[in-house]
C-alpha cells in the first residue's frame, strides 16, 4: 500500500529490495553469525527471575549452548524436520532450546507454561512432537497425563504421543520414567564437547510452528520458514528504531511463547546483536521501572495493559528511567488517552504495530511519520499490502473498508497451516494470503485497523468496528478497560453494547458512560447498553475473549 500521502505531502518510503539467500538458518543467524565479530562477547540476554535472581549469557556462550543442544538432539536420534515442543518459562534455556532445535534442522514448537495438561497433550499430538523440553518443576503435574498417552498405553494409536525424549530444565533430583527417556538438560549439554555445524536449511524450510486460536475450538498450527526472520527486517527500521550509534538494550514485558515476543524480544534483537532483557515472575507495575534502571534499557516493549498499569499504579517518570529512549506496543490497540497520559508522564511516544501469527508485525507507526492516534500507521516498506473487496478482489478506494491481503511472495508470510490443507487453501490463493482482517486507508495514507469480519458488529444494517467504540470509551478518564460486542435482542437483531472496567480512583456510572458514548460516537456506533464488570475473560497472553463475554459477568448495567 505504501501510498504517497495527499496531505501532508509525505515522501514515499524508499523502495525495499528483499535479499533472501538460498540457505538460511534462524538459529545460526542469531548466534553463530556473531562469532569472530565485536558482538561475540556482548551480553545477548539477561533474565531477571523473582526466585532465581539474575542470569545472563553472551553471544559466544549462546552459540556454544545452542550448538550443544542441536548435537544433543542428533545424539538422541532426533532428525531434521522432527518437532521439538518447548514449554519453558522465560529463561536462558528458552533461546537455547528454540534456536538450538532450529540449528539441528528441527521445527521448534513454543507453548505457554499456563496451558493445562489437556492442551499440552493436544499440541503434542497435533504437532507430532518427538521431544518435549519443559521446566522440571512442572513435571509432577504433567507426567501422569503424558505417560497415559504413550503408544504402549492406548488402544488407538491415533491418540498416542510421538514423544520419545523429555529434557528437563531447572534444579531438582533426577527424574525416572518408565514411559520416556528423561534427561536433565544442564548435565546433558555439559557432556557435549564437540558438535557439527548448524544444519544447512534452505530459507524456505520449516523453522518453527506456533499455535493460535482456531475456528473449530482447537488451536491451529501456523508453520513458518527460516526466511520469516528476513521477512521482519523492515521492522528494524520502521518500527524498532534501533540506534546504530549505541548497543540498544531491549526490555520486553512478555513471555517467549507468544509470537509477538518470539519476534520482537528474541529473534529480531539477537539477529542484530542487541541485548535482550526479560522478566520471569509476578506481574508488578513497579518491576519495569526497576529493570529499566538496573540494566540501562534503551527500548521498552509491552502491551497496552502494561503501559496502563505503569501510569495508573506507579509514580514512575522519565527521571527514574533516564536511559529509556523508545517505547513500542502491540497485541491490542493502545487507547488515545493512554498515549496522551504516557506523553504527559514521560515526554515520549509509544509506537504501535499490528501483526498476526501468520505474518508477525507488518503495519506500524514509526519515527518517519507523525503518529495519528487510533491509526495503525503504515505498511512497512517491502510489505506490499493491499486492501481488497472480499467479493470482487478489486482494490478499494480510500475511506472504504477492505480485507488486508498479503502477496504470497512476501518472505515474512507463513508456509501453511499445520495438518489443515483446506484451511490453507481457503486463505492462500490467487497470489495472496487473505488475512480475514479488515482496514481502511485515509486520504493521507494512514491505515485504520478494523479487525476481523467476525469481530465487526452488524447492527440494523450498519457495520460497527468494536475497536473504534472501545477507543472512544477508553478516552473517558473513568474507564480502565472496555470491550465492545454485539448483543442479540431477538433473532438476527444485534445491538452494540460495551462492557467496562472502571478506574478505582475515578468512579463513573454505566448511565454516564452511555451518555458519553452517545456524545462522541455516531448514533449507530454508540453502545445501546453499558455493563460494568470487574474483569474480562482473556487469553493466556491477556487478550480479551469477546466471544466469551456475556451479561452474566456484569455487576450492573445502564438503564
Amino acid at each position: 500500500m505504501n501510498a504517497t500521502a495527499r496531505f501532508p505531502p509525505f515522501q514515499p518510503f524508499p523502495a525495499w529490495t528483499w535479499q533472501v539467500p538460498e540457505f538460511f538458518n534462524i538459529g545460526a543467524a542469531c548466534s553463530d553469525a556473531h562469532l569472530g565479530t565485536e558482538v561475540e562477547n556482548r551480553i545477548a540476554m539477561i533474565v531477571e527471575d523473582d526466585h532465581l535472581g539474575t542470569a545472563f549469557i553472551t553471544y559466544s556462550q549462546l552459540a556454544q549452548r545452542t550448538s550443544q543442544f542441536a548435537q544433543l538432539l542428533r545424539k538422541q536420534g532426533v532428525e531434521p524436520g522432527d518437532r521439538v515442543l518447548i514449554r519453558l518459562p522465560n529463561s536462558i534455556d528458552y533461546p537455547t532450546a528454540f534456536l538450538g532445535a532450529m540449528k539441528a534442522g528441527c521445527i521448534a514448537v513454543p507453548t505457554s507454561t499456563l496451558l493445562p495438561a489437556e492442551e499440552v497433550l493436544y499440541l503434542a499430538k497435533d504437532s507430532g512432537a518427538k521431544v518435549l523440553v519443559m521446566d522440571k518443576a512442572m513435571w509432577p503435574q504433567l507426567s501422569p497425563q503424558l505417560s497415559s498417552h504413550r503408544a504402549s498405553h492406548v488402544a488407538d494409536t491415533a491418540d498416542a504421543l510421538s514423544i520419545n525424549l523429555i529434557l528437563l530444565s531447572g534444579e531438582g533430583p533426577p527424574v525416572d520414567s518408565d514411559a520416556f527417556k528423561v534427561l536433565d538438560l544442564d548435565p546433558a549439554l555439559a557432556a557435549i564437547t564437540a558438535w557439527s555445524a548448524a544444519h544447512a536449511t534452505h530459507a524456505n524450510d520449516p523453522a518453527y510452528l506456533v499455535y493460535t486460536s482456531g475456528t473449530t475450538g482447537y488451536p491451529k498450527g501456523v508453520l513458518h520458514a527460516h526466511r520469516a526472520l528476513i521477512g521482519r527486517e523492515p521492522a528494524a527500521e520502521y518500527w524498532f528504531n534501533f540506534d546504530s550509534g549505541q548497543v540498544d538494550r531491549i526490555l520486553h514485558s512478555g513471555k517467549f511463547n507468544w509470537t509477538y515476543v518470539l519476534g520482537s524480544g528474541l529473534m529480531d534483537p539477537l539477529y542484530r546483536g542487541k541485548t535482550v532483557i526479560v522478566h520471569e515472575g509476578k506481574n508488578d507495575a513497579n518491576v519495569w521501572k526497576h529493570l529499566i534502571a538496573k540494566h540501562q534499557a534503551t527500548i521498552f516493549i509491552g502491551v497496552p495493559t502494561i503501559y496502563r498499569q505503569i501510569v495508573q499504579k506507579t509514580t514512575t517518570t522519565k527521571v527514574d528511567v533516564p536511559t529509556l529512549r523508545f517505547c513500542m506496543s502491540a497485541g491490542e490497540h493502545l487507547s488515545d488517552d493512554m498515549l496522551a497520559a504516557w506523553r504527559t508522564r514521560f515526554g515520549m511516544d509509544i509506537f504501535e504495530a499490528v501483526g498476526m501469527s501468520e505474518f508477525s508485525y507488518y503495519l506500524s507507526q514509526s519515527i518517519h511519520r507523525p503518529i495519528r492516534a487510533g491509526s495503525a500507521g503504515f505498511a512497512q516498506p517491502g510489505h506490499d499490502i493491499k486492501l481488497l473487496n472480499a467479493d470482487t478482489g478489486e482494490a478499494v478506494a480510500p475511506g472504504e473498508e477492505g480485507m488486508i491481503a498479503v502477496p504470497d511472495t512476501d518472505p515474512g508470510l507463513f508456509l501453511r497451516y499445520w495438518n489443515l490443507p483446506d484451511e490453507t487453501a481457503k486463505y492462500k490463493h490467487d497470489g495472496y494470503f487473505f488475512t480475514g482482517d479488515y482496514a481502511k486507508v485515509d486520504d493521507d495514507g494512514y491505515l485504520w485497523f478494523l479487525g476481523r469480519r467476525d469481530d465487526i458488529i452488524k447492527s440494523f444494517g450498519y457495520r460497527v468496528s468494536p475497536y473504534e467504540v472501545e477507543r472512544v470509551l477508553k478516552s473517558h478518564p473513568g474507564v480502565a478497560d472496555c470491550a465492545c460486542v454485539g448483543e442479540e435482542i431477538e433473532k438476527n437483531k444485534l445491538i452494540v453494547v460495551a462492557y467496562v472496567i472502571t478506574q478505582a480512583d475515578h468512579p463513573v456510572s454505566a448511565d454516564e458512560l452511555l451518555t458519553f458514548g452517545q456524545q462522541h460516537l455516531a448514533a449507530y456506533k454508540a453502545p445501546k447498553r453499558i455493563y460494568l464488570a470487574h474483569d474480562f475473560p482473556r487469553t493466556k497472553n491477556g487478550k480479551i475473549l469477546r466471544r466469551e463475554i456475556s451479561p452474566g459477568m456484569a455487576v450492573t448495567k445502564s438503564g
Side-chain angles (χ1 to χ4, degrees):
M1 179 164 294
N2 304 332
T4 303
R6 300 179 183 179
F7 183 82
F10 299 124
Q11 292 296 314
F13 285 126
W16 187 275
T17 302
W18 293 108
Q19 301 288 340
V20 181
E22 180 181 359
F23 292 94
F24 188 75
N25 184 285
I26 291 177
C30 293
S31 58
D32 296 355
H34 300 302
L35 296 177
T37 73
E38 62 180 4
V39 175
E40 181 177 36
N41 295 315
R42 182 179 298 164
I43 294 177
M45 182 173 292
I46 301 170
V47 179
E48 284 281 0
D49 189 297
D50 286 354
H51 300 292
L52 302 177
T54 306
F56 67 89
I57 191 169
T58 67
Y59 276 96
S60 175
Q61 293 167 333
L62 181 64
Q64 175 176 320
R65 192 169 170 82
T66 51
S67 291
Q68 288 171 314
F69 187 90
Q71 195 66 25
L72 174 61
L73 295 182
R74 299 185 190 106
K75 183 179 178 181
Q76 296 299 323
V78 183
E79 299 180 350
D82 285 346
R83 275 74 66 202
V84 177
L85 193 66
I86 303 169
R87 188 176 188 259
L88 292 171
N90 281 357
S91 60
I92 298 299
D93 284 343
Y94 209 111
T96 298
F98 184 72
L99 300 176
M102 291 187 284
K103 288 174 79 169
C106 298
I107 299 172
V109 187
T111 64
S112 172
T113 57
L114 298 178
L115 295 181
E118 292 78 8
E119 291 188 62
V120 176
L121 284 171
Y122 175 81
L123 300 187
K125 293 175 187 176
D126 187 70
S127 66
K130 296 291 183 66
V131 182
L132 171 61
V133 189
M134 62 177 290
D135 189 55
K136 182 177 284 189
M138 303 173 188
W139 175 251
Q141 294 104 17
L142 201 56
S143 60
Q145 289 87 344
L146 290 173
S147 298
S148 66
H149 284 78
R150 283 290 288 154
S152 58
H153 296 125
V154 296
D156 183 1
T157 56
D159 195 42
L161 291 173
S162 301
I163 292 173
N164 298 312
L165 173 66
I166 294 180
L167 300 173
L168 296 180
S169 166
E171 299 179 352
V175 170
D176 292 323
S177 172
D178 295 330
F180 306 97
K181 183 169 188 178
V182 181
L183 298 176
D184 278 347
L185 183 58
D186 277 345
L189 293 180
I192 303 293
T193 57
W195 47 85
S196 304
H199 188 74
T201 51
H202 289 81
N204 206 47
D205 284 345
Y208 59 97
L209 176 66
V210 295
Y211 278 83
T212 187
S213 299
T215 56
T216 63
Y218 292 96
K220 62 181 178 183
V222 179
L223 184 64
H224 280 277
H226 287 271
R227 56 171 164 74
L229 181 57
I230 296 172
R232 289 194 299 273
E233 284 186 345
E237 182 175 352
Y238 293 95
W239 186 32
F240 278 92
N241 186 36
F242 287 132
D243 189 342
S244 59
Q246 68 177 112
V247 179
D248 276 311
R249 291 186 151 219
I250 300 137
L251 173 61
H252 207 303
S253 69
K255 302 293 186 183
F256 284 137
N257 63 275
W258 192 11
T259 313
Y260 167 36
V261 189
L262 277 175
S264 59
L266 196 154
M267 288 183 279
D268 294 359
L270 296 183
Y271 181 38
R272 290 166 180 81
K274 310 300 181 181
T275 296
V276 174
I277 309 153
V278 293
H279 174 251
E280 179 60 38
K282 183 180 178 182
N283 181 19
D284 183 335
N286 283 293
V287 77
W288 310 116
K289 172 186 74 173
H290 168 68
L291 294 182
I292 292 171
K294 178 179 179 179
H295 297 294
Q296 299 184 310
T298 57
I299 296 175
F300 180 61
I301 309 179
V303 294
T305 298
I306 295 295
Y307 286 105
R308 190 177 301 115
Q309 290 173 350
I310 293 172
V311 169
Q312 295 173 356
K313 298 182 178 182
T314 79
T315 58
T316 307
T317 68
K318 186 65 170 68
V319 174
D320 301 307
V321 287
T323 59
L324 184 65
R325 66 172 185 82
F326 198 69
C327 298
M328 300 157 61
S329 178
E332 58 180 308
H333 174 61
L334 183 79
S335 65
D336 301 359
D337 68 310
M338 187 49 53
L339 175 60
W342 192 265
R343 285 169 166 169
T344 300
R345 181 83 71 86
F346 292 89
M348 303 172 66
D349 284 321
I350 300 173
F351 293 85
E352 284 192 85
V354 171
M356 59 193 311
S357 298
E358 294 88 344
F359 194 38
S360 199
Y361 27 83
Y362 62 101
L363 309 177
S364 61
Q365 301 164 345
S366 75
I367 62 169
H368 301 284
R369 292 181 182 175
I371 291 177
R372 185 164 291 179
S375 165
F378 296 83
Q380 297 159 0
H383 300 312
D384 189 22
I385 304 304
K386 306 292 185 186
L387 295 187
L388 303 179
N389 182 301
D391 297 321
T392 67
E394 299 294 324
V396 301
E400 295 181 3
E401 67 176 56
M403 183 186 289
I404 300 173
V406 183
D408 61 12
T409 55
D410 194 303
L413 194 61
F414 76 123
L415 286 167
R416 61 183 180 274
Y417 293 116
W418 186 256
N419 294 334
L420 295 170
D422 291 343
E423 187 85 351
T424 303
K426 177 181 177 181
Y427 290 101
K428 290 183 80 172
H429 57 85
D430 298 317
Y432 287 96
F433 167 54
F434 292 85
T435 65
D437 288 330
Y438 284 76
K440 60 184 178 181
V441 62
D442 64 23
D443 289 338
D444 296 332
Y446 285 84
L447 278 156
W448 298 80
F449 189 74
L450 302 174
R452 303 190 71 80
R453 174 165 278 182
D454 49 10
D455 286 341
I456 299 293
I457 303 167
K458 298 177 182 178
S459 180
F460 297 96
Y462 292 100
R463 295 169 56 80
V464 180
S465 167
Y467 306 104
E468 183 176 358
V469 177
E470 291 165 9
R471 178 175 62 83
V472 171
L473 289 179
K474 286 178 181 177
S475 68
H476 189 288
V479 174
D481 205 355
C482 68
C484 176
V485 298
E487 181 177 303
E488 190 170 50
I489 54 174
E490 56 183 87
K491 187 176 181 180
N492 297 325
K493 285 189 178 180
L494 289 179
I495 60 172
V496 178
V497 303
Y499 289 74
V500 174
I501 300 172
T502 60
Q503 299 281 15
D505 59 352
H506 197 298
V508 61
S509 71
D511 287 326
E512 288 177 283
L513 292 174
L514 188 72
T515 300
F516 181 82
Q518 293 167 346
Q519 293 172 340
H520 294 85
L521 286 161
Y524 71 92
K525 297 179 182 179
K528 305 304 182 287
R529 283 181 194 149
I530 297 287
Y531 295 93
L532 300 187
H534 291 310
D535 201 0
F536 299 139
R538 299 177 187 271
T539 67
K540 302 293 190 304
N541 293 318
K543 287 187 177 181
I544 296 172
L545 291 168
R546 289 179 176 79
R547 64 182 178 274
E548 295 185 11
I549 290 177
S550 68
M553 60 183 286
V555 295
T556 187
K557 67 177 181 179
S558 58

